[in-house]
């Protein structure tokens, strides 16, 4: 067919298309209803949803049977989330070991602030009676007294002489030593002392009452044709172990005191007036 015959052929085809188009585009009524029912149906299910539908479909038949395990892919939608398994806890108190060695003492901490004074506590019960104590020594006795005499005359020589007494009238607790001729203080306090002598005619009388090696008072009588009684007294405050005695002056001049074996002319006495422990 030449170019001239092709043109009329195309024109005939176009006319047939316009004429038969409406008839060919119609759809039978039964087929149209079937398409509408298919259009209202739900979209096709995926793989996971189909498995669930099958499971629900056959669950009525397998009520008495245990559910079968299912496998899921991580890429499937709706993959169930599994709960994390808790980590087991161990009670370490039951895993107690042996007791260790004692550690070194730590450095002392700072002192805290002084707290307020607490309230006075209740008086406690009365205690039991204590046992009797040991007896005290004699220096704690608040008594001291002595009185001694001499029945022999005494003449001075080239050195000082302690007057030794040979007669004991009173010597409480032995505070006066008859061998040394001295009084020793064992009870501190205030004492009274008295010295009495008989002078020798035509001779001087010269004595001292001594305390710890020091001259305290003098008893003196000048040379006379007659012999007389001469005395001296005083009070002294003594401490423990103080010493008091009578001393005859040395022989720079003729010095003597008189006495005999029949009478006591020379006496020395002393006693405690007030102990130092008393207020």
């Amino acid at each position: 067919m030449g170019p001239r015959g092709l043109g009329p052929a195309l024109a005939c085809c176009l006319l047939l298309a316009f004429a038969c188009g409406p008839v060919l585009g119609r759809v039978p009524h039964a087929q149209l209803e079937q398409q509408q029912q298919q259009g209202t149906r739900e979209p096709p299910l995926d793989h996971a949803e189909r498995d669930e539908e099958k499971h629900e479909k056959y669950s009525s038949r397998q009520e008495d049977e245990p559910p079968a395990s299912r496998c899921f892919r991580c890429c499937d939608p709706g993959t169930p989330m599994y709960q994390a398994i808790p980590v087991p806890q161990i009670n370490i108190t039951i895993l107690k070991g042996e007791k260790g060695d004692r550690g070194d003492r730590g450095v002392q901490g700072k002192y805290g602030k002084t707290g307020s004074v607490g309230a006075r506590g209740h008086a406690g019960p009365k205690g039991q009676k204590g046992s009797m104590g040991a007896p005290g020594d004699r220096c704690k006795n608040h008594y001291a007294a002595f009185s001694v005499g001499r029945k022999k005359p005494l003449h001075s020589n080239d050195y000082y002489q302690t007057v030794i007494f040979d007669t004991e009238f009173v010597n409480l607790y032995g505070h006066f030593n008859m061998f040394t001729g001295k009084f020793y203080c064992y009870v501190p306090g205030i004492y009274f002392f008295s010295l009495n002598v008989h002078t020798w005619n035509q001779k001087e009388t010269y004595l001292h009452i001594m305390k710890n090696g020091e001259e305290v008072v003098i008893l003196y009588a000048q040379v006379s044709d007659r012999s007389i009684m001469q005395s001296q007294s005083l009070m002294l405050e003594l401490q423990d172990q103080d010493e008091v005695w009578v001393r005859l002056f040395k022989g720079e001049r003729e010095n003597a005191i008189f006495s005999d074996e029949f009478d006591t002319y020379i006496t020395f006495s002393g006693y405690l007036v007030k102990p130092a422990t008393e207020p």
Side-chain angles (χ1 to χ4, degrees), residues 11-33:
C12 291
C13 290
L14 289 174
L15 290 174
L16 288 174
F18 281 108
C20 297
V23 177
L24 294 175
R26 293 182 182 179
V27 180
H29 181 72
Q31 186 178 0
L32 181 61
E33 290 180 358

Side-chain angles (χ1 to χ4, degrees), residues 195-210:
L195 173 63
N196 296 284
V197 299
H198 192 279
T199 64
W200 203 311
N201 55 348
Q202 301 301 326
K203 293 183 179 181
E204 191 176 37
T205 303
Y206 194 3
L207 301 101
H208 285 96
I209 295 179
M210 309 292 293

